[in-house]
Every structure is written in structure tokens, then in C-alpha cells.
Amino acid sequence: MMYHLTGWRKRAFATQAEAMSEAMNEAFAEGDVKTLSSMCFPSMAASLKNDIKRRRSAVDWRKVRSVTAPRIVQIRCGRLATNLTVGQIIVRIDQEQIVAPKGSASRSLPNPVRVAEYVVFQRIVTDPTSPWRIFCKLGVPKWDAAVSK
């Protein structure tokens, strides 16, 4: 990735990716389809929009803490045409989160739940104006699910 993006650093990107994932979770909880559309690829945004329509009530989402620092687990670049190279980065994010029905602040909040996610970020690395966007979330591998408990 450093070959295509001047000044790109793994640790800095992992931190930015975690912040972007948190912003996506907040937008999803608030039902903010416009924000989701700007930060996710169309297929991911459409899936989240459908999930928002199907849920029975609004929710509050809150990150309690990061259990481990976000970690890049894979980096891939693919050249699709002469001046079109796409980069994908998978980041493992391990946090404690609270999800509760909206307005439950007066009641006791549920205990935090540990959530490990693998989030795929993508951009056109040959286009300096192309932003990193969330492409999808991957299922947690069985070996990681056992380790995370």
C-alpha cells in the first residue's frame, strides 16, 4: 500500500479504520442512511438500510472500550486496468459495546458485550481523491471466535 499511497502508515490507518467503523455503527443505530451511504459501498449501505427498515425500534449504540488495538490482518491491491488499482485492507476490531433500545437511559443499561469484527475497507489507490470506504464486514473465523472468549 505504501507503494501506491505516499505517507500511508499501517498503525495510523488501523486507528482511522476503527474510528470509521464506530461512526458507521453510530449512524446505523441512529438510522442515518445518508451517512451510511457516504461511508459505505452501495451494497453495504443498501444492506444496512434494509436492516434499519426491519428493526422494531431505534437503538442506542456505544463503544465502552477497545479490548485490543485495531490490527490490520490483510492488505491487497489489484490492478483492474492500466490506471485503475484497487486496494483492500481488512482490519480486526475488538471492542466492548453496549446496544440498547432507544430511551433506556433511565433504566439500567445492559452489560457490555465483547465484539470482534473484521471490517474490509476499499478505495481506488490510483485516484488521489478516492476515499477509503467500508466494503463489508466478514464473519469472525471459528479459530478467532474461540480465542476471543
Side-chain angles (χ1 to χ4, degrees):
M1 201 57 66
M2 290 184 259
Y3 173 77
H4 294 287
L5 302 173
T6 307
W8 187 87
R9 298 286 178 258
K10 276 182 160 183
R11 185 170 290 139
F13 180 82
T15 302
Q16 293 168 351
E18 183 178 41
M20 194 170 172
S21 178
E22 290 169 15
M24 181 195 64
N25 286 335
E26 289 170 359
F28 177 73
E30 294 168 4
D32 185 352
V33 176
K34 184 177 180 182
T35 298
L36 291 171
S37 295
S38 71
M39 65 187 332
C40 298
F41 268 79
S43 59
M44 176 79 170
S47 175
L48 293 172
K49 182 180 175 182
N50 288 334
D51 289 345
I52 289 169
K53 286 180 182 178
R54 281 194 296 267
R55 67 182 178 205
R56 296 170 196 248
S57 64
V59 295
D60 283 323
W61 176 89
R62 184 167 46 112
K63 170 189 165 185
V64 176
R65 70 183 182 98
S66 292
V67 177
T68 60
R71 183 170 49 100
I72 293 175
V73 294
Q74 190 170 62
I75 300 173
R76 290 285 180 253
C77 286
R79 191 166 144 195
L80 304 178
T82 304
N83 288 328
L84 181 62
T85 302
V86 174
Q88 280 193 339
I89 300 176
I90 302 173
V91 180
R92 183 183 188 277
I93 299 171
D94 189 4
Q95 302 176 332
E96 284 187 350
Q97 304 174 356
I98 293 176
V99 178
K102 198 116 178 131
S104 63
S106 59
R107 298 177 283 186
S108 62
L109 289 174
N111 290 330
V113 175
R114 185 173 178 179
V115 178
E117 299 177 307
Y118 287 79
V119 185
V120 180
F121 296 85
Q122 181 173 304
R123 73 168 274 192
I124 300 170
V125 294
T126 48
D127 178 0
T129 64
S130 174
W132 285 103
R133 295 170 72 190
I134 297 174
F135 184 76
C136 68
K137 288 185 180 184
L138 301 175
V140 176
K142 288 181 183 178
W143 59 265
D144 189 20
V147 171
S148 295
K149 289 185 179 182

